[in-house]
Amino acid sequence: QVQLVESGGGLVQPGGSLRLSCAASGSIFSIDPMAWYRQTPGKQREFVASIDSVGGTDYADSMKGRFTISRDNTKNTVFLQMNSLKPEDTAVYYCYATIKRAPGWNWSTYWGQGTQVTVSS
């Protein structure tokens, strides 16, 4: 089965930076959009950024200019570079991917288990 594993979260001061990674593994034929979402306790998951297989990106307005999403297709990995972090960025960050596991199969969506980002002084 396909698995997505996030890493890179931690505790940083306001204004600091973190780089998150998410690696997809398992039976994978093709990945097109990959994305990052985030969630705080008691709230719904919020879209952060997405990237397609050829580098096209979308960002939530509050992240534009501060966050950068990228991917390494040779490693089935997506990254999120987070700069100028604010306390309100504190959340569990989740990796998302749409994956076709084999030719002729349907596209399916997958989620990682999340990595905690805490921004605090």
Side-chain angles (χ1 to χ4, degrees):
Q1 299 294 324
V2 171
Q3 291 183 311
L4 304 179
V5 180
E6 303 99 333
S7 62
L11 174 64
V12 297
Q13 295 180 327
S17 298
L18 283 175
R19 186 174 187 252
L20 307 183
S21 300
C22 172
S25 62
S27 180
I28 298 171
F29 172 71
S30 182
I31 305 174
D32 202 317
M34 302 185 80
W36 290 94
Y37 289 72
R38 67 187 186 186
Q39 186 172 25
T40 56
K43 295 182 174 63
Q44 297 295 313
R45 287 186 186 181
E46 174 189 24
F47 172 77
V48 175
S50 66
I51 184 168
D52 64 27
S53 62
V54 293
T57 59
D58 287 303
Y59 295 91
D61 287 343
S62 63
M63 288 74 168
K64 290 181 179 178
R66 299 191 300 123
F67 292 7
T68 302
I69 190 170
S70 60
R71 65 193 285 169
D72 183 344
N73 290 333
T74 68
K75 299 179 180 179
N76 292 330
T77 300
V78 63
F79 306 93
L80 185 68
Q81 178 67 45
M82 303 186 293
N83 299 324
S84 301
L85 284 163
K86 306 173 182 179
E88 52 263 43
D89 295 318
T90 296
V92 177
Y93 283 71
Y94 293 91
C95 179
Y96 166 96
T98 300
I99 295 172
K100 183 178 289 187
R101 295 179 62 195
W105 287 35
N106 292 330
W107 292 90
S108 299
T109 58
Y110 299 87
W111 292 92
Q113 295 190 39
T115 185
Q116 177 71 47
V117 172
T118 302
V119 185
S120 177
S121 60

